Every structure is written in structure tokens, then in C-alpha cells.
Amino acid sequence: MNNQLKALRNARGLTQQELADALSVSRQTVISIESGKYDPSLPLAFKIAQFLALKIEDIFQP
């Protein structure tokens, strides 16, 4: 699954660690999602979208 997480995170001036802390996940999880090596669970995808104030489909594309 493709995603825009890295660009969205950078646009908000967040570090990977800051995003990880806000989502209650590890920095490695954020790295894996951004690189496309890991697809987040649906609850985590909703959490990411809520934190960024976006729709899931604005962040993740099949």
C-alpha cells in the first residue's frame, strides 16, 4: 500500500519520534509504514488520520 505519511509528517514539522509518541507506537513502526514495508492495522490507520486531521484515503492508497 502506498502512503503519503512521510510527506504529511514533514509538512507538519514532526519528527518520526514525535509522531510515534502521539500514536503510541514505536519509531520503528513509523519508519516501516513510511517506507511501505508495513501496512498499519485499521485502528492505527484511523488513529493516524485523526491525528493528522485527514481522511484515511488522503494518507493511504491501495
Side-chain angles (χ1 to χ4, degrees):
M1 178 181 314
N2 296 322
N3 69 75
Q4 303 299 316
L5 187 57
K6 185 174 184 177
L8 294 166
R9 176 182 59 76
N10 286 332
R12 287 164 173 74
L14 296 168
T15 65
Q16 290 172 332
Q17 188 62 59
E18 290 169 335
L19 180 58
D21 291 344
L23 300 172
S24 300
V25 298
S26 70
R27 184 173 150 266
Q28 186 60 43
T29 298
V30 172
I31 292 168
S32 295
I33 294 170
E34 286 184 351
S35 68
K37 293 180 181 179
Y38 172 73
D39 290 335
S41 65
L42 192 54
L44 179 54
F46 272 108
K47 201 172 197 181
I48 293 167
Q50 182 179 18
F51 179 76
L52 297 175
L54 296 169
K55 297 177 187 174
I56 290 176
E57 55 268 19
D58 294 335
I59 304 168
F60 301 97
Q61 299 82 36

